[in-house]
Amino acid sequence: MKTVVLVYSGGLDTSVCIPMMREDYGFDRVVTATIDVGQPIEDIRQAEEKAEILKTEHYTIDAKEEFVKDFIFPAIKANGDYQGYPLSTAIARPLIGLKAVEIARQVGAKAFCHGCTGKGNDQFRIEYMMRVLMPDAEIIAPMRERNYTRSEEIEYAQKRGIPLDVSFEKIWSIDENMWGRSIEGGRLEETDYPPPEEIYKWTKNPVEAPDKPRDIELGFEHGVPVSIDGQVLSPLDLVMEMHKISCEHGVGRLDIVEDRIIGLKVRENYECPAAVAIITAHKALEALVCTRDEMHFKSLVDHEWGDLAYKGLWYDPFKEALEAFIDKIQERVTGTVKLRFFKGSVRAIGRASKYALYSEDLASFDSKTFDQSKMEGMVQVHGMQTRMYRMVKGN
Ligand code: ARG
């Protein structure tokens, strides 16, 4: 029996892959796998229903907790960002690839199918995981191979009795997990077309957000958030609670132009409510406990981490090395940060840590502990090379 594991979203692209696998690629057993990383529950149910209609062996894998602990938390420690995009789709793809491999092992499959197109980033991320973990597996990407237009695809689907839902008529191309939601397509492809309100599903319009600011205190331990207002929460509950608060205050809307892996520039709109709030707090705490040199170097390390995560190179040795540095720093990223949410913004309004490299007594305008007279010599030599330069230039 020839078995293929199809990474299945329940959408049109991956649904047409099912008859294709049977008719054109000679698989007599199609196993569909939907990985729950916090996308809408209706999408997951729809995938299950369609899998039943199309008679596949279907698995829904709840990977939400693993997503938070093994993917979102490392992203928080690295202030995970790529060109202003708080990495969300990008960090879910490796997990989806990983789960697909686990299922393949379980069902004895040596082939994978996915619905990624040849223009995007996801083909790199998903296939990378499959190839790293199962080097001999065959990987089939019919969407990339066939270059179908939307209407050809619909015609194909109709002929095969694939249930079409209204979503294929929708203007926007959306990807969603609990760390972020991306909206592409339609008129957003015009780079100067302002995003219409209808693209946002999570966040309140900041104009309609509460007129009263909301302050919370986020507790961190070793670089990861553990509590809100002193109440300890599980990783998943904490992220979901931060998501709720941020959404209520219209936090996390982003509109950027992004360079895809292949070099295509694309217009991207995001809602990343929890990511924006938690990373804002994490950075504020790092600023309190890290030395200046650590801060500077970590921003370079974070940048490299963001590039690697964007490319989906989740098991790269460079990433491991970067994380060794990041984790060393995180040993001291323990403490609390007060955040204020107000009409689309979130900012730190307080921070405290037992590892703070801060002394009120030294810094205060009202203290004599710091003997200022000691500074004279240091100030005199400050900028010595500028003076040398001007002397050599002759002015
Ligand atoms: N630009 C983001 C990324 O590459 C989001 C892409 C959304 N993906 C999708 N298949 N619709 O991570």
Side-chain angles (χ1 to χ4, degrees):
M1 187 135 71
K2 257 186 91 187
T3 308
V4 62
V5 172
L6 165 65
V7 182
Y8 191 50
S9 69
L12 179 64
D13 288 350
T14 49
S15 294
V16 302
C17 288
I18 297 171
M20 276 178 192
M21 286 301 102
R22 292 174 178 143
E23 294 168 24
D24 307 337
Y25 294 87
F27 289 99
D28 35 29
R29 184 174 170 221
V30 179
V31 174
T32 45
T34 302
I35 320 303
D36 180 359
V37 283
Q39 66 270 46
I41 189 73
E42 312 88 70
D43 290 10
I44 291 166
R45 291 290 103 85
Q46 176 188 278
E48 287 165 351
E49 280 158 25
K50 283 198 188 168
E52 200 175 328
I53 294 167
L54 298 168
K55 300 197 169 28
T56 69
E57 187 179 324
H58 184 76
Y59 295 86
T60 299
I61 312 290
D62 181 354
K64 292 196 286 295
E65 215 167 301
E66 204 171 329
F67 184 41
V68 176
K69 283 197 199 140
D70 298 344
F71 294 81
I72 292 177
F73 276 9
I76 293 170
K77 293 180 190 176
N79 299 311
D81 174 278
Y82 174 78
Q83 297 184 337
Y85 156 47
L87 295 150
S88 41
T89 295
I91 59 168
R93 297 312 188 203
L95 176 57
I96 290 169
L98 172 69
K99 291 288 149 192
V101 169
E102 283 177 15
I103 290 182
R105 291 208 174 106
Q106 198 180 311
V107 301
K110 290 216 155 32
F112 294 100
C113 175
H114 65 74
C116 302
T117 68
K119 281 188 181 174
N121 294 321
D122 294 331
Q123 53 183 337
F124 293 96
R125 300 164 178 158
I126 289 183
E127 289 195 23
Y128 166 85
M129 285 305 264
M130 292 167 173
R131 239 171 236 118
V132 167
L133 298 172
M134 222 188 230
D136 298 329
E138 180 188 1
I139 304 173
I140 306 161
M143 294 301 117
R144 186 172 64 200
E145 226 171 82
R146 303 207 168 184
N147 222 352
Y148 272 180
T149 64
R150 202 71 174 162
S151 44
E152 285 167 342
E153 225 184 295
I154 290 169
E155 198 186 310
Y156 181 95
Q158 277 166 340
K159 276 198 198 135
R160 305 292 187 296
I162 294 171
L164 293 169
D165 49 72
V166 286
S167 72
F168 74 85
E169 286 168 352
K170 282 189 190 147
I171 318 160
W172 317 112
S173 162
I174 291 165
D175 183 66
E176 197 171 311
N177 66 55
M178 76 180 81
W179 200 233
R181 179 169 177 270
S182 72
I183 311 101
E184 301 164 310
R187 285 202 68 189
L188 288 171
E189 288 173 354
E190 299 162 41
T191 52
D192 64 347
Y193 176 73
E197 188 57 31
E198 67 165 90
I199 69 164
Y200 304 108
K201 199 182 88 186
W202 286 352
T203 53
K204 249 196 189 148
N205 184 338
V207 174
E208 281 145 28
D211 292 323
K212 233 178 89 188
R214 164 99 189 259
D215 294 351
I216 64 146
E217 190 178 84
L218 193 57
F220 283 86
E221 246 167 59
H222 309 304
V224 297
V226 292
S227 66
I228 299 174
D229 291 331
Q231 193 192 348
V232 174
L233 296 169
S234 75
L236 180 56
D237 288 346
L238 187 135
V239 169
M240 293 320 295
E241 186 58 23
M242 289 302 286
H243 172 93
K244 234 171 72 191
I245 299 168
S246 294
C247 287
E248 174 66 14
H249 292 272
V251 164
R253 295 182 175 191
L254 295 154
D255 179 351
I256 63 170
V257 168
E258 184 178 300
D259 293 297
R260 283 203 186 141
I261 297 169
I262 62 170
L264 264 185
K265 274 198 192 294
V266 286
R267 166 78 171 296
E268 292 284 0
N269 273 267
Y270 296 107
E271 291 183 277
C272 296
V276 167
I278 294 174
I279 290 174
T280 297
H282 182 259
K283 282 184 176 170
L285 193 55
E286 284 190 335
L288 183 66
V289 302
C290 293
T291 68
R292 173 169 45 191
D293 290 338
E294 282 177 330
M295 285 295 284
H296 170 70
F297 193 68
K298 182 154 189 299
S299 73
L300 306 177
V301 170
D302 288 352
H303 186 93
E304 294 299 321
W305 191 96
D307 271 2
L308 275 181
Y310 189 75
K311 292 182 201 147
L313 300 174
W314 202 255
Y315 292 134
D316 200 87
F318 185 36
K319 182 164 164 291
E320 271 179 29
L322 295 172
E323 285 177 347
F325 175 80
I326 291 171
D327 286 341
K328 184 69 196 164
I329 298 284
Q330 302 310 299
E331 287 174 8
R332 289 177 285 133
V333 185
T334 292
T336 54
V337 178
K338 291 194 176 83
L339 286 177
R340 174 161 295 170
F341 295 85
F342 184 57
K343 289 204 171 289
S345 76
V346 63
R347 62 199 171 92
I349 55 162
R351 68 287 284 151
S353 170
K354 63 180 171 187
Y355 298 110
L357 302 181
Y358 174 82
S359 155
E360 191 175 344
D361 188 38
L362 280 176
S364 172
F365 290 109
D366 293 325
S367 134
K368 277 188 186 289
T369 315
F370 185 95
D371 182 356
Q372 298 185 39
S373 66
K374 291 272 187 328
M375 289 308 299
E376 194 182 333
M378 187 172 172
V379 174
Q380 268 175 23
V381 295
H382 185 58
M384 190 164 61
Q385 294 192 337
T386 312
R387 295 201 298 278
M388 294 295 294
Y389 169 68
R390 289 180 72 93
M391 209 172 72
V392 169
K393 252 180 49 177
N395 54 6

